[in-house]
Amino acid sequence: MSNESDHLVQIDLTPEYKRNLRELSKKYRQIRLDTQPVIEQIQAGNFIGDRIPGMGEDYIILKVRVKNSNIQKGKSAGYRMIYQIESPLSVLLLTIYSKSDRTDISLNEIRSIIAEFDESQ
């Protein structure tokens, strides 16, 4: 009998991700429901999104668009979830932000989020 949880990808959250999620949830009530399907896909090992270039070979960082169902504008105006594939069975959710609040995230910001998380371990 195979246990499904054997194959689930372990997902960790950085302090930055938790902070941002908490802040965004005050403004966008549906954010946890909106991100759930994406998190479930990642847990199933389906690493969706586009790889962010410029982080070096050692870092596999992806950015995925998430629909914001609190605004009627489609995915392009929704959230961006940034995550790191640490191994085939381990993913770190780095940050999430609303595209309507900010346009993009810099490589330096991503690096400092990873550094902050590594220090907290």
Side-chain angles (χ1 to χ4, degrees), residues 96-109:
I96 185 169
Y97 59 91
S98 169
K99 192 70 177 168
S100 54
D101 295 342
R102 59 179 299 177
T103 51
D104 222 337
I105 187 166
S106 73
L107 295 179
N108 283 340
E109 277 180 272

